[in-house]
Amino acid sequence: RSGYEGALSEIQDRAQRGDAMAKVDLMVFQAAVRKIFLAMNAHLIALPGIDIGNSVAASMRNFLNRFDAIFTLNQDILLERHYAAREVQNPGNRAVILPGIKPPHPQLTTLEPQRWLTEQWTVEDASPNVTASRNEQPLFKLHGSSNWRRSDNQDLLIMGGQKMKAVRESTVLTWYHDEFARRLAAPGARLMTIGYGFQDQHVNEPIYKTPNL
């Protein structure tokens, strides 16, 4: 693995072996990554949307809403702000839900842009008790998100090496990955990937094991 995740994975390995300097480096690295996500999210919030022009036929939101479910590895808040928020959902489209994730406010769409950067989303401790209706589309963030917090107020942002071990430490993310495998194995299942580089073995595994894709 290359890029920042490769560097982060190396530091994580050294820290786990008891390297005191690596533990300090890890804290600094993780803080830098959080700042990058903050800057990225600020830019994404300022965007007018994800649709290009006013053409209904070219609507990205209408296109995404055609799928039974969306699984993403992205950890920014683009989809929450410009796709899942009620104020931007196109008439007639299904409501987008994030199973097991509690928004910071019942009327999330009324939050001004700055609060999208500061408000935290709470990750439930138990497996989501959710069966999406025909009028709902679940959105699963397999590696957590830059604005998610666990009940102990720790980040839920899976990065670097040993991702599946970190995933299994979260009840919600474990359920997400099990749901990904279950949906892939369903009769007639189809998978469309957008921008995925097939670098995560724990994500590749259920794909490769599904013969009907």
Side-chain angles (χ1 to χ4, degrees):
R1 179 179 295 277
S2 60
Y4 86 92
E5 283 205 304
L8 177 57
S9 179
E10 180 180 338
I11 296 174
Q12 288 173 330
D13 289 343
R14 287 167 43 210
Q16 289 176 359
R17 292 196 298 267
D19 186 326
M21 184 58 70
K23 292 180 181 179
V24 175
D25 290 342
L26 182 59
M27 293 174 57
V28 173
F29 201 124
Q30 291 173 331
V33 170
R34 291 188 191 97
K35 288 183 179 180
I36 290 171
F37 271 112
L38 185 64
M40 184 188 308
N41 286 335
H43 172 72
L44 295 175
I45 288 170
L47 294 176
I50 58 174
D51 286 343
I52 301 175
N54 298 318
S55 170
V56 174
S59 169
M60 177 59 70
R61 286 176 292 171
N62 285 349
F63 171 72
L64 292 175
N65 209 250
R66 294 169 59 186
F67 296 93
D68 291 334
I70 295 176
F71 292 87
T72 179
L73 300 180
N74 286 9
Q75 296 163 309
D76 53 57
I77 61 173
L78 174 67
L79 289 178
E80 289 94 318
R81 181 66 189 94
H82 295 296
Y83 178 62
R86 275 173 277 173
E87 66 189 31
V88 302
Q89 292 183 22
N90 289 352
N93 281 357
R94 291 169 296 162
V96 183
I97 62 172
L98 282 82
I101 308 301
K102 183 180 178 181
H105 189 281
Q107 298 297 324
L108 179 65
T109 58
T110 66
L111 298 180
E112 61 271 22
Q114 186 59 33
R115 289 183 65 188
W116 276 89
L117 295 177
T118 58
E119 298 284 349
Q120 308 300 327
W121 297 44
T122 304
V123 182
E124 297 177 355
D125 292 326
S127 297
N129 184 19
V130 174
T131 301
S133 73
R134 297 179 65 180
N135 295 321
E136 294 177 324
Q137 180 192 50
L139 168 62
F140 303 97
K141 303 188 81 168
L142 293 175
H143 288 165
S145 189
S146 57
N147 64 341
W148 287 7
R149 295 293 182 274
R150 303 180 313 197
S151 58
D152 60 2
N153 203 37
Q154 296 298 307
D155 296 344
L156 186 54
L157 190 63
I158 309 299
M159 299 180 295
Q162 300 184 352
K163 286 182 180 176
M164 198 58 201
K165 179 179 181 295
V167 164
R168 291 301 182 192
E169 292 173 354
S170 164
T171 301
V172 166
L173 293 189
T174 296
W175 187 85
Y176 278 13
H177 280 264
D178 292 346
E179 184 70 2
F180 179 57
R182 186 191 70 79
R183 285 176 177 265
L184 286 178
R190 293 292 181 268
L191 173 69
M192 179 174 185
T193 63
I194 302 175
Y196 177 49
F198 293 88
Q199 296 294 311
D200 290 301
Q201 185 58 36
H202 60 285
V203 176
N204 296 342
E205 200 168 301
I207 298 175
Y208 295 156
K209 285 183 177 179
T210 306
N212 62 333
L213 291 179

